[in-house]
Structures are given as structure tokens and as C-alpha cells.
Amino acid sequence: MCLAESINSPDLLAEAGIQYVSNYAHDELPVPMRVKRGSLLTMPYTLELNDVPAVLGKGVTAEEFGRMICDQFDVLYAEGRERPRIMSISLHPFISGHPYRMKHLAAALSYVAGHAAVWLTTGGEINDWYRAGYLPKAELSRTG
């Protein structure tokens, strides 16, 4: 699922030197995109652990949203023993930033961070990690 771009956007972004986007809902690992020039990855974007559809759309409470984060983490953490997993959480300060919601979000994030071998990181760091260890050699040769 693409959220807001034209069919030409990936090519234009890669041509401009952008290395990754986070605009597609998909599996829990980066995916190389086919672009005319350069190299572009798409990072996982979540619609499930996203406060807009969950809280505003489905009426999920702050406590339920925190539990969803913990439950999602538990499954991905177990799967991570066999292969890497990325858990994205889509947050918007005007929704999750309210104090009565933040206490549940903070508890969920503390739960996640309290586990061994969890890498709390950025999209840029995931991009570098994936390109260094997982991007097929053919893709690397196209990046210039």
C-alpha cells in the first residue's frame, strides 16, 4: 500500500540520492525497490501500530494501544531468533503525545527496550545495516 505519491516518485527519489522511504505497509524487513537509476529501499510502515487508524479510526484506548505494541513486540522478538525483524510504530504527537496516552506508550516502549538484543534505532541506521549485509550484490553495483 502506498500512502501518498505518484508512480514516478521512487525513481525521482532514487535519482536525487534518497536511499529509503517509509511509505509502504509491508513485511518487517526493508525491501529493495526497482528504480531506473540508483538504489531505493522501502522500510516497513505500519497501519496496525499506527495511532491514526487505531485510536482515531477504531477507537482503541491508550491502554489497548500500549498492549498492542507489547503483543506485536512479543511475536516479532520470538521470530527474531531465526531472522531479523523490524517493528515500526507510527506515532503522531497530536494523538499519542497527550499525557493520558503517553503514560501507556512510555510503559510499552520501556517493555520493548527492557529486552536483550533489541536495537532501538533510526531508519537511516537500518538503511546502512541492510545495505552493508543484505542488499544483493547486483543492487550494490547499481548504487554507484
Side-chain angles (χ1 to χ4, degrees), residues 12-60:
L12 294 171
L13 291 169
E15 189 174 310
I18 303 298
Q19 293 190 344
Y20 72 94
V21 295
S22 296
N23 208 23
Y24 297 88
H26 61 80
D27 203 4
E28 287 78 21
L29 285 174
V31 175
M33 297 183 75
R34 290 186 182 177
V35 291
K36 292 178 183 174
R37 268 184 264 148
S39 174
L40 187 67
L41 298 177
T42 174
M43 297 292 169
Y45 179 81
T46 180
L47 292 174
E48 291 299 318
L49 291 185
N50 184 323
D51 57 7
V52 171
V55 174
L56 296 185
K58 298 176 185 173
V60 169

Side-chain angles (χ1 to χ4, degrees), residues 31-32 39-41 129-140 143:
V31 175
S39 174
L40 187 67
L41 298 177
W129 162 80
Y130 187 82
R131 287 176 182 281
Y134 294 92
L135 197 62
K137 300 296 182 209
E139 290 290 324
L140 284 174
T143 63

Side-chain angles (χ1 to χ4, degrees), residues 104-127:
H104 297 289
L105 177 60
L109 296 178
S110 291
Y111 175 77
V112 169
H115 287 74
V118 170
W119 183 27
L120 304 175
T121 191
T122 65
E125 291 172 327
I126 294 168
N127 175 64

Side-chain angles (χ1 to χ4, degrees), residues 46-117:
T46 180
L47 292 174
E48 291 299 318
L49 291 185
N50 184 323
D51 57 7
V52 171
V55 174
L56 296 185
K58 298 176 185 173
V60 169
T61 68
E63 187 173 5
E64 290 169 330
F65 192 66
R67 182 78 250 149
M68 289 167 57
I69 291 170
C70 295
D71 290 346
Q72 177 92 343
F73 172 78
D74 288 341
V75 172
L76 294 177
Y77 189 72
E79 290 179 1
R81 290 184 186 107
E82 300 297 319
R83 61 188 237 187
R85 295 315 228 169
I86 295 171
M87 182 175 140
S88 61
I89 306 169
S90 299
L91 302 172
H92 303 81
F94 65 93
I95 298 171
S96 291
H98 292 277
Y100 76 96
R101 289 188 180 126
M102 275 303 301
K103 77 176 206 175
H104 297 289
L105 177 60
L109 296 178
S110 291
Y111 175 77
V112 169
H115 287 74

